[in-house]
């Protein structure tokens, strides 16, 4: 069906939401915007469904939410035991329309006879993951667009294990969603009906207390009377209460909050992006840190599944750690302080630093790789229950970490309290986190990683991203920065080609549109379209015997890759 037909169906729908109708009227005559809003349905990627708020099948609104929830309801009723009775746990962050979408989800579930447990106020993503397990729910829904700009919102699906729905489940759910061709006519029940028939239950404090109790289990040592000075910013999101409660419960007292960023704000008005991966998000935290002479600055994204950390360098200026650097510090501390490492496993993604593998090997622990996306780490943890392997730590380069498996998604609350414990430990040794990192580099090698992200919006952008991947796949690199390619990994065909040996091997991970090139001397490059944003990401990793050599090598590799991509787009 061409987009104009879908657009016409919406404009002629007599009961169309009045705000969406007004927005459609304002878009009249703007065919480019209208085409982008209606030319396709929002699809599930590595992190669920995410998009710009507004009218249209390719936008986040009550109708795309209803369609997604109706598909989920049909899936769990057919595939999960006692789904109607066990219900679905629902949480939401501080974004525009988040609570409305959460309640709308409950209304659709109620019409399907499925109970909904909805948090009475905003909560972090990891608390939703925990709630699914704690309540033994059949599934979970998180309304969030993570660290995206204010005009976005999103919808994440969690399975009964509390993890994001893995590929097979997500495909089955989306198949159910795609069977629904009349998103404007989906039945809903009103809130009063749901409460009267016990199909809606508001939840909150009891789940919070249970989560905080589990948070105690990741603590490795007492930190009472710690002199550590902490600055914390929740970046206008959901993390204020759980992080503050977690730090105080652990024993930290000297916590300074960036008050201007403590309150939820869907516009994220004090930052250009509410993303702790970006250094500008720490500007206010750095100013406060300088004022109180803080040892560590911690910042969480809006739904509190990602954590950024900044610490002082040798000159006394605050430096934001990369996700790989913080992950390495957390990993080393966790393994060094864990008594029983028998049959223990560390899980990381294929674009996360190889330094983690070196650290784990030092402690006699195996590292397992997964595709990008924490859903795959959660899926592995679930498998460990059958194989009796012991989960020790999971992380990805994009600031996502997990220590205790009572949550099955990345958890910035866990990471925040753990990072402060690690900083406390090293302060006792007379070192900052950067100095601690230097000791690890001296021991394991100077690993350096970078990531380039190219945003190409709309239908045209999606086509350009496809063209880049197609070109790289059809004309693979043979060398970069003078280093030969020793392996070409195509995760779409599940094939690893070894050009120097002229032979191929199978890749056992799930199929995904990813290309990775392994170079001599432990360098590597990986290309991956984002599953949730209009971006193509290029990841780079190197290892040499010195920081300067590693920085120079990775810069050369980046430049050669950028030239190649620019030539493709000409």
């Amino acid at each position: 069906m061409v987009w104009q037909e879908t657009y016409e169906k919406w404009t002629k729908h007599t009961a169309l939401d009045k705000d969406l109708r007004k927005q459609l009227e304002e878009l009249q005559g703007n065919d480019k915007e209208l085409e982008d809003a209606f030319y396709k349905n929002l699809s599930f990627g590595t992190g669920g469904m995410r998009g710009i708020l507004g009218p249209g099948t390719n936008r986040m609104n009550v109708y795309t939410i209803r369609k997604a929830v109706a598909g989920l309801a049909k899936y769990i009723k057919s595939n999960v035991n006692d789904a109607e009775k066990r219900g679905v746990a629902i949480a939401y962050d501080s974004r525009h329309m988040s609570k409305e979408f959460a309640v709308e989800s409950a209304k659709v579930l109620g019409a399907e006879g499925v109970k909904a447990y909805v948090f009475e106020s905003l909560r972090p993503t990891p608390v939703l993951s925990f709630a699914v397990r704690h309540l033994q729910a059949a599934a979970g829904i998180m309304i969030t667009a993570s660290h995206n700009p204010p005009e976005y919102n999103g919808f994440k699906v969690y399975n009964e294990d509390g993890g994001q729905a893995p590929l097979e489940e997500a495909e089955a759910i989306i198949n159910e969603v795609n069977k629904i061709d009349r998103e404007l006519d989906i039945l809903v029940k009103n809130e009063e009906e749901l409460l009267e028939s016990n199909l809606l239950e508001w939840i909150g404090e009891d789940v919070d207390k249970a989560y905080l109790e589990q948070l105690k289990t990741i603590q490795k040592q007492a930190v009472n009377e710690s002199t550590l000075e902490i600055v914390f910013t929740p970046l206008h999101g959901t993390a204020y209460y759980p992080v503050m409660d977690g730090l105080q419960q652990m024993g930290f007292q000297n916590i300074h909050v960036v008050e201007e960023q403590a309150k939820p704000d869907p516009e994220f008005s004090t930052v250009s992006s509410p993303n702790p991966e970006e250094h500008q998000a720490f500007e206010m935290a750095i100013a406060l840190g300088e004022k109180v002479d803080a040892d560590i600055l911690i910042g969480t994204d809006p739904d509190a599944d990602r954590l950024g950390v900044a610490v002082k360098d040798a000159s006394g200026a605050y430096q934001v750690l990369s996700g790989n650097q913080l992950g390495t510090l957390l990993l080393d501390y966790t393994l060094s302080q864990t008594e029983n490492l028998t049959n223990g496993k560390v899980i990381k993604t294929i674009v996360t630093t190889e330094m983690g593998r070196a650290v784990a090997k030092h402690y006699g622990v195996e590292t397992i790789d997964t595709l990008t996306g924490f859903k795959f780490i959660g899926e592995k943890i679930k498998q460990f229950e059958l194989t009796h392997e012991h989960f020790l730590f999971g992380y990805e380069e994009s600031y996502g970490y997990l220590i205790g498996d009572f949550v099955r998604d990345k958890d910035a609350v866990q990471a925040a309290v753990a990072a402060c414990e690690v900083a406390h430990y090293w302060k006792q040794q007379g070192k900052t986190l950067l100095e601690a990192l230097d000791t690890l580099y001296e021991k394991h090698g100077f690993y350096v990683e970078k990531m380039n992200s190219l945003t190409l919006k709309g239908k045209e952008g999606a086509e350009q991203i496809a063209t880049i991947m197609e070109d790289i796949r059809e004309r693979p690199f043979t060398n970069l920065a003078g280093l030969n390619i020793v392996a070409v990994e195509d995760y779409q065909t599940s094939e690893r080609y070894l050009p120097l040996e002229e032979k191929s091997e199978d890749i056992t991970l799930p199929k995904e549109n990813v290309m990775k090139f392994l170079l001599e001397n432990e360098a590597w490059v990986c290309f991956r379209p984002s599953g949730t944003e209009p971006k193509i990401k290029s990841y780079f990793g190197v290892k040499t015997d010195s920081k300067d050599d590693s920085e120079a090598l990775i810069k050369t590799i980046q430049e050669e890759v950028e030239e190649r991509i620019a030539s493709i787009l000409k």
Side-chain angles (χ1 to χ4, degrees):
M1 186 181 293
V2 294
W3 69 265
Q4 291 96 332
E5 292 177 35
T6 312
Y7 165 63
E8 195 172 335
K9 272 172 47 178
W10 278 55
T11 56
K12 289 183 175 178
H13 186 68
T14 54
L16 192 73
D17 176 87
K18 65 179 188 302
D19 290 332
L20 294 177
R21 184 175 295 285
K22 184 181 176 185
Q23 291 172 57
L24 278 179
E25 288 169 356
E26 290 169 356
L27 285 171
Q28 272 185 358
N30 189 341
D31 282 3
K32 187 174 181 182
E33 281 289 320
L34 287 171
E35 179 181 11
D36 193 55
F38 285 97
Y39 85 97
K40 67 170 187 173
N41 294 325
L42 273 180
S43 57
F44 281 80
T46 55
M49 182 175 75
R50 195 180 298 177
I52 295 169
L53 290 159
T57 55
N58 191 31
R59 295 286 185 264
M60 287 294 299
N61 51 63
V62 291
Y63 302 109
T64 51
I65 285 285
R66 286 177 183 176
K67 183 173 178 177
V69 178
L72 173 64
K74 286 178 168 49
Y75 171 80
I76 61 172
K77 284 165 71 174
S78 300
N79 294 276
V80 182
N81 290 334
D82 274 342
E84 290 96 332
K85 184 178 177 183
R86 289 168 61 190
V88 176
I90 305 172
Y92 52 94
D93 69 6
S94 55
R95 289 181 173 274
H96 291 294
M97 297 298 294
S98 282
K99 185 166 187 178
E100 290 89 340
F101 289 165
V103 174
E104 204 66 37
S105 298
K107 291 177 179 178
V108 176
L109 290 168
E112 292 281 349
V114 179
K115 181 167 184 169
Y117 295 93
V118 184
F119 278 98
E120 91 284 350
S121 58
L122 51 79
R123 290 297 189 284
T125 289
V127 174
L128 180 276
S129 171
F130 174 78
V132 173
R133 297 175 59 77
H134 179 71
L135 297 168
Q136 297 182 316
I141 292 170
M142 182 71 201
I143 306 295
T144 178
S146 190
H147 56 280
N148 278 63
E151 64 269 22
Y152 281 77
N153 212 328
F155 174 94
K156 285 184 180 178
V157 175
Y158 287 78
N159 62 14
E160 61 182 325
D161 188 52
Q164 289 184 49
L167 292 177
E168 198 172 311
E169 276 185 273
E171 285 172 9
I173 293 166
I174 204 65
N175 283 340
E176 292 293 344
V177 174
N178 287 338
K179 289 177 187 175
I180 301 165
D181 59 359
R182 297 171 67 89
E183 69 277 347
L184 300 174
D185 300 319
I186 292 167
L187 293 176
V188 294
K189 284 199 171 186
N190 66 49
E191 200 173 313
E192 293 73 21
E193 281 183 281
L194 297 177
L195 289 167
E196 283 173 15
S197 54
N198 197 33
L199 284 170
L200 170 60
E201 184 175 329
W202 297 103
I203 58 172
E205 191 175 312
D206 289 347
V207 177
D208 298 337
K209 286 179 179 176
Y211 173 85
L212 281 169
E213 197 63 32
Q214 286 296 314
L215 197 59
K216 293 177 183 177
T217 65
I218 72 168
Q219 187 169 356
K220 300 297 183 184
Q221 61 170 267
V223 296
N224 294 329
E225 299 181 17
S226 173
T227 61
L228 193 76
E229 297 286 343
I230 303 164
V231 164
F232 167 49
T233 173
L235 293 178
H236 303 295
T238 60
Y240 178 81
Y241 290 108
V243 169
M244 291 296 289
D245 290 345
L247 289 171
Q248 289 165 356
Q249 172 179 270
M250 185 175 270
F252 291 108
Q253 298 301 319
N254 307 324
I255 310 163
H256 311 271
V257 177
V258 181
E259 294 297 340
E260 301 94 328
Q261 298 175 331
K263 290 183 179 178
D265 173 10
E267 286 297 318
F268 311 110
S269 52
T270 66
V271 291
S272 57
S273 170
N275 185 356
E277 292 181 71
E278 297 178 18
H279 295 192
Q280 56 77 29
F282 273 93
E283 286 176 4
M284 284 189 167
I286 288 171
L288 180 57
E290 289 169 347
K291 184 178 177 182
V292 301
D293 194 24
D295 297 296
I296 184 171
L297 319 178
I298 56 175
T300 52
D301 70 341
D303 68 321
D305 63 353
R306 297 171 194 250
L307 175 79
V309 164
V311 292
K312 284 182 181 177
D313 62 18
S315 72
Y318 286 101
Q319 179 178 323
V320 179
L321 298 177
S322 73
N324 284 314
Q325 289 173 327
L326 178 57
T328 298
L329 286 162
L330 290 170
L331 171 61
D332 179 74
Y333 179 77
T334 299
L335 297 185
S336 72
Q337 302 297 312
T338 301
E339 288 183 15
N340 182 16
L341 298 174
T342 306
N343 216 20
K345 296 289 184 287
V346 169
I347 312 174
K348 72 174 193 65
T349 72
I350 59 172
V351 296
T352 301
T353 178
E354 287 298 306
M355 190 172 181
R357 196 184 312 278
V359 169
K361 186 178 179 182
H362 173 76
Y363 291 100
V365 172
E366 181 188 358
T367 299
I368 295 171
D369 284 329
T370 70
L371 291 177
T372 305
F374 228 87
K375 64 163 69 180
F376 299 108
I377 293 176
E379 192 177 14
K380 272 290 175 194
I381 298 170
K382 175 66 175 173
Q383 290 171 13
F384 289 171
E385 294 174 4
L386 299 174
T387 59
H388 304 293
E389 292 165 285
H390 180 203
F391 171 74
L392 295 170
F393 188 77
Y395 72 123
E396 58 186 6
E397 102 304 333
S398 56
Y399 290 62
Y401 318 97
L402 186 64
I403 302 153
D405 65 1
F406 53 92
V407 168
R408 295 296 165 92
D409 201 354
K410 51 186 178 282
D411 186 345
V413 182
Q414 284 191 35
V417 298
C420 291
E421 184 179 339
V422 177
H424 164 81
Y425 169 82
W426 284 109
K427 187 175 183 180
Q428 287 182 312
Q429 318 303 312
K431 292 184 177 182
T432 67
L433 286 183
L434 278 175
E435 289 168 336
L437 195 59
D438 284 338
T439 66
L440 295 177
Y441 285 137
E442 293 288 350
K443 185 185 292 185
H444 301 292
F446 286 83
Y447 290 83
V448 174
E449 299 80 28
K450 302 286 183 184
M451 190 271 285
N452 288 356
S453 181
L454 178 62
T455 300
L456 297 163
K457 293 184 178 179
K459 185 180 179 184
E460 183 182 348
E463 291 167 355
Q464 288 176 310
I465 289 169
T467 298
I468 292 168
M469 290 302 295
E470 184 182 343
D471 192 276
I472 289 170
R473 188 168 271 117
E474 291 181 356
R475 299 189 302 117
F477 294 95
T478 55
N479 69 78
L480 283 164
L483 298 174
N484 288 320
I485 304 294
V486 297
V488 180
E489 297 181 338
D490 187 342
Y491 289 82
Q492 191 159 270
T493 61
S494 300
E495 181 183 51
R496 178 185 295 109
Y497 177 63
L498 310 175
L500 302 181
E501 301 173 46
E502 295 186 346
K503 70 174 187 179
S504 295
E505 301 172 344
D506 291 335
I507 295 173
T508 56
L509 295 178
K511 292 181 185 296
E512 193 167 86
N513 186 17
V514 174
M515 289 289 291
K516 186 173 183 180
F517 297 86
L518 308 184
L519 288 74
E520 295 171 307
N521 301 346
E522 299 187 55
W524 56 272
V525 179
C526 188
F527 303 90
R528 170 185 163 265
S530 171
T532 54
E533 301 171 271
K535 294 179 179 180
I536 181 166
K537 296 183 178 182
S538 310
Y539 303 84
F540 310 86
V542 301
K543 176 204 172 187
T544 73
D545 293 330
S546 80
K547 182 181 179 181
D548 289 345
D549 287 349
S550 290
E551 292 285 1
L553 177 58
I554 205 164
K555 185 172 184 285
T556 302
I557 294 173
Q558 274 185 289
E559 287 172 351
E560 292 183 13
V561 166
E562 285 168 4
E563 286 175 14
R564 170 71 180 275
I565 290 177
S567 71
I568 296 169
L569 291 176
K570 276 184 180 176

